[in-house]
Amino acid sequence: APLSRALRAELKSEERPQPSALALICPSALTLCALCCGMSAMRAASRGEFSGALVWLGLSAIADGLDGHAARRLNAVTAFGGELDSLCDLVDFGAAPTLVVYEWAEGKIVPLHLSC
């Protein structure tokens, strides 16, 4: 007879050992690193350093991609980590690129309100 979902989930949880404290911290640290890279991109853009801002955005994307893989690999998936990752996604892929493009457009010769 096929196993129920609850029984399969229980068996899977028993097969994996409980993660250590360091394993629980590692994915969240990567997520916070991604958040810091996204905020550094916004700071670089506000100073007019657009090549640096793009490097920071790239690093934030890499760190954001690695945190989920690390959490699953270390069996350290937590509700807090999921919420923190959502916040970092908002900053890294929403606010930071928007601010970089806005600051870049503001530096052009023709002001935005005159180009329409």
Side-chain angles (χ1 to χ4, degrees):
L3 295 174
S4 68
R5 287 185 187 175
L7 184 57
R8 270 187 270 148
E10 185 178 328
L11 289 174
K12 282 186 178 180
S13 67
E14 289 177 6
E15 292 171 3
R16 292 185 146 195
Q18 291 296 322
S20 67
L22 183 62
L24 287 171
I25 292 172
C26 182
S28 293
L30 274 171
T31 305
L32 289 175
C33 178
L35 180 65
C36 290
C37 289
M39 293 189 326
S40 296
M42 291 189 280
R43 184 170 189 223
S46 68
R47 293 179 172 194
E49 302 165 0
F50 299 109
S51 60
L54 292 178
V55 169
W56 284 117
L57 283 176
L59 290 173
S60 73
I62 291 169
D64 187 67
L66 290 176
D67 65 356
H69 291 293
R72 287 185 292 278
R73 181 84 169 154
L74 296 171
N75 191 27
V77 177
T78 61
F80 173 77
E83 296 296 328
L84 183 62
D85 188 58
S86 295
L87 171 69
C88 290
D89 288 346
L90 176 69
V91 172
D92 294 340
F93 303 116
T98 302
L99 186 73
V100 170
V101 170
Y102 175 78
E103 291 288 342
W104 174 77
E106 280 290 306
K108 294 295 181 186
I109 296 173
V110 178
L112 283 177
H113 64 280
L114 295 177
S115 63
C116 296

